């Protein structure tokens, strides 16, 4: 099945749902159907995921937006994202060069999503860290001192 929307467009639609419970359910459904989108949200807000890249926008002098509408490109690159983390053995300069090249690979509309992921903040206020952690608790560690719903209190 062909992918007909960018990840950015999908999340933008969800962010524009006014009712919080409906927005939460929509995010859960989409992330259940599109595991790569769930991974990007997880990498954005997971406390153990830290990217070894400079903060902020990429200078336009080092990358050019893609001139295609292959929305599947973003889905394909998700498996490479751990290469940009601090835990990766790839030298930082190489990560920076490769990330700029990655941004040239995906549809231009998804680049702000990738920038937000590395900077730990998605481009939508209504899809903030607390909201995503409430909507998708299975993607994040349980805070110390709190029990998961399926654990019994002692």
């Amino acid at each position: 099945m062909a992918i007909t929307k960018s990840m950015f467009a999908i999340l933008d639609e969800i962010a524009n749902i006014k009712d919080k419970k409906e927005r939460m359910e929509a995010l859960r459904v989409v992330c259940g159907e599109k595991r790569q989108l769930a991974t990007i949200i997880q990498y954005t807000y997971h406390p153990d995921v830290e990217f070894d890249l400079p903060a902020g926008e990429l200078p336009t002098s080092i990358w050019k937006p893609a001139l295609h509408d292959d929305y599947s490109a973003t889905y394909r690159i998700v498996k490479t994202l751990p290469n940009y983390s601090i835990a990766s053995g790839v030298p930082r300069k190489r990560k920076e060069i490769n990330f700029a090249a990655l941004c040239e690979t995906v549809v231009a509309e998804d680049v702000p999503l990738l920038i937000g992921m590395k900077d730990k903040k998605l481009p939508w206020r209504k899809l903030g860290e607390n909201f995503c952690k409430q909507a998708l608790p299975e993607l994040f560690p349980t805070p110390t001192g709190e029990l998961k719903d399926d654990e019994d209190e002692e």
Side-chain angles (χ1 to χ4, degrees):
M1 182 159 73
I3 296 171
T4 59
K5 285 185 184 175
S6 69
M7 284 189 187
F8 187 94
I10 293 167
L11 289 175
D12 193 52
E13 285 178 10
I14 292 171
N16 286 310
I17 296 173
K18 301 235 184 277
D19 183 76
K20 183 178 179 179
K21 287 183 181 179
E22 288 179 31
R23 192 168 59 249
M24 218 173 258
E25 182 59 23
L27 185 62
R28 289 192 64 72
V29 168
V30 165
C31 286
E33 293 171 352
K34 300 180 183 320
R35 187 71 193 133
Q36 298 92 334
L37 192 53
T39 299
I40 285 186
I41 291 171
Q42 182 180 38
Y43 287 0
T44 301
Y45 295 127
H46 198 290
D48 296 337
V49 177
E50 191 175 343
F51 290 95
D52 193 15
L53 296 164
E57 298 290 324
L58 292 176
T60 53
S61 62
I62 65 168
W63 79 287
K64 302 290 179 239
L67 300 175
H68 64 76
D69 62 356
D70 179 9
Y71 300 119
S72 65
T74 309
Y75 292 86
R76 288 192 307 269
I77 60 91
V78 168
K79 66 180 177 277
T80 70
L81 294 175
N83 294 335
Y84 304 98
S85 73
I86 287 183
S88 166
V90 177
R92 182 172 184 168
K93 192 65 177 168
R94 173 62 46 204
K95 290 175 190 175
E96 292 174 18
I97 292 166
N98 289 349
F99 189 76
L102 178 133
C103 288
E104 291 180 342
T105 303
V106 303
V107 65
E109 189 175 351
D110 280 341
V111 172
L113 180 60
L114 296 175
I115 302 288
M117 178 198 65
K118 78 170 178 63
D119 289 343
K120 306 301 243 175
K121 185 176 181 188
L122 293 178
W124 303 272
R125 199 179 117 260
K126 289 187 175 183
L127 298 179
E129 182 174 0
N130 289 336
F131 176 83
C132 288
K133 285 182 174 181
Q134 287 175 358
L136 304 162
E138 65 278 7
L139 298 181
F140 306 99
T142 303
T144 306
E146 291 185 25
L147 297 174
K148 289 184 179 178
D149 290 340
D150 60 351
E151 292 179 334
D152 294 324
E153 287 188 66
E154 293 184 24

